[in-house]
């Protein structure tokens, strides 16, 4: 057998390397994991109920285009995505906003507005159990490269990068809290410290603030490109939104 043939046999017979990535929910306490998996106890139930109420409201309702929310299974795992009409990368909340403005002819909600988060959570919930499948394309490839560079860049008065916390120190503790690997499989999440639902953008802005860096604007390029990279970094992980976090 030639050397090339031997390497092919080895490649086909050796077990694949184990995926060492872990969702943030895997490192939570049993009590918090129960909150997330038990719909009867989930603290975001009121928001999800509001989302269902909003879904059918108005002459140009979400339901008039999309039918029941369950018909959107698989949509959330494909965001952020490039929107040709907007000529921009959109995350899921931005997609909801664009539908509201372009199709419903209504004014955009403020960032983190309760109805925006409620509809985002409702759409995201329909994809529970599916793997993250971030799309590809030249615009998204450029955004991912920019996001990766930002992820690796030291920022702020504390001179820390995302990678230093979530790659190098994942599993250690900071102020008594376990540092997660920083995957984005369960957003939006209900954080107990917020006492409400919040988007990934809110969490990222909190990280910028935490390292004493300038906080990027809502829906700005920095946050969008970072989300594209984080989605690719988390690709394949099954989602369970809305999440629950400390």
């Amino acid at each position: 057998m030639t050397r090339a043939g031997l390497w092919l046999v080895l490649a086909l017979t050796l077990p694949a390397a184990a995926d060492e990535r872990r969702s943030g929910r895997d490192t939570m306490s049993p009590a918090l994991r129960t909150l997330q998996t038990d719909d009867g106890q989930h603290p975001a139930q009121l928001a999800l109920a509001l989302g269902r109420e909003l879904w059918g409201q108005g002459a140009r309702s979400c339901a008039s285009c999309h039918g029941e929310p369950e018909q959107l299974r698989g949509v959330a795992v494909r965001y952020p995505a490039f929107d040709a009409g907007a000529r921009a990368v959109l995350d899921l909340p931005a997609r909801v906003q664009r539908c509201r403005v372009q199709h419903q002819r209504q004014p955009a909600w403020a960032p983190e507005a309760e109805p925006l988060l409620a509809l985002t959570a409702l759409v995201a919930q329909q994809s529970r159990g599916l793997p993250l499948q971030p799309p590809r394309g030249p615009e998204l490839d450029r955004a991912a490269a920019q996001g990766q560079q930002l992820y690796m860049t030291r920022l702020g008065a504390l001179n820390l990068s995302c990678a230093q916390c979530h790659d190098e120190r994942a599993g250690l503790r900071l102020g008594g809290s376990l540092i997660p690997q920083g995957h984005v499989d369960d957003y939006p999440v209900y954080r107990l410290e917020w006492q409400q639902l919040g988007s990934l953008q809110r969490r990222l802005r909190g990280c910028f603030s935490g390292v004493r860096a300038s906080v990027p604007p809502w829906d700005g390029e920095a946050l969008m490109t970072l989300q594209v990279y984080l989605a690719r970094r988390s690709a394949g992980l099954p989602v369970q939104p809305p999440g629950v976090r400390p």
Side-chain angles (χ1 to χ4, degrees):
M1 181 181 292
T2 65
R3 181 177 297 181
L6 179 60
W7 278 113
L8 178 60
V9 170
L10 288 173
L12 293 174
T13 56
L14 288 175
D19 188 348
E20 297 183 351
R21 297 176 304 164
R22 295 292 180 269
S23 167
R25 65 179 175 272
D26 295 334
T27 59
M28 294 191 304
S29 68
L32 285 183
R33 285 200 297 273
T34 298
L35 277 181
Q36 179 160 338
T37 56
D38 185 345
D39 285 342
Q41 299 184 56
H42 201 298
Q45 280 305 305
L46 289 177
L48 290 167
L50 173 61
R52 282 199 175 268
E53 181 181 342
L54 293 169
W55 188 260
Q57 281 186 357
R60 297 172 182 246
S61 67
C62 305
S64 67
C65 279
H66 303 293
E68 294 301 314
E70 288 75 11
Q71 293 182 244
L72 295 188
R73 180 164 176 78
V75 167
V77 297
R78 300 195 295 270
Y79 277 84
F82 180 75
D83 186 278
R87 286 188 260 179
V89 175
L90 303 181
D91 59 11
L92 186 56
R95 174 71 261 176
V96 173
Q97 288 274 42
R98 183 162 172 79
C99 280
R100 176 172 170 79
V101 174
Q102 294 295 114
H103 302 297
Q104 296 181 334
R105 302 292 190 263
Q106 296 293 325
W109 285 302
E112 300 298 286
E114 185 179 20
L116 174 59
L117 290 171
L119 283 170
T120 301
L122 180 66
V123 173
Q125 186 190 41
Q126 308 315 312
S127 295
R128 280 180 171 181
L130 297 179
L132 273 173
Q133 298 176 328
R136 299 277 170 167
E139 297 88 358
L140 290 164
D141 292 345
R142 284 193 294 271
Q146 293 171 356
Q148 182 177 19
Q149 182 177 9
L150 180 55
Y151 184 86
M152 301 294 181
T153 300
R154 291 173 178 260
L155 298 170
L158 299 188
N159 196 34
L160 287 173
S161 69
C162 308
Q164 285 178 285
C165 278
H166 299 295
D167 290 347
E168 298 173 18
R169 293 175 174 81
L172 303 179
R173 291 191 175 273
L174 177 64
S177 298
L178 197 69
I179 301 174
Q181 292 180 349
H183 296 300
V184 296
D185 43 315
D186 286 352
Y187 280 87
V189 302
Y190 188 104
R191 288 188 68 89
L192 300 186
E193 72 169 296
W194 298 340
Q195 287 295 293
Q196 61 183 170
L197 271 176
S199 68
L200 178 56
Q201 286 201 39
R202 179 175 179 179
R203 186 69 197 97
L204 294 176
R205 282 167 56 92
C207 285
F208 277 91
S209 177
V211 299
R212 309 296 186 266
S214 297
V215 178
W218 294 102
D219 296 320
E221 183 181 39
L223 293 180
M224 286 297 178
T225 59
L226 190 52
Q227 286 186 96
V228 173
Y229 172 67
L230 291 174
R232 292 192 177 187
R233 183 173 170 271
S234 308
L237 293 176
V239 304
Q240 193 69 31
V244 177
R245 296 294 185 270

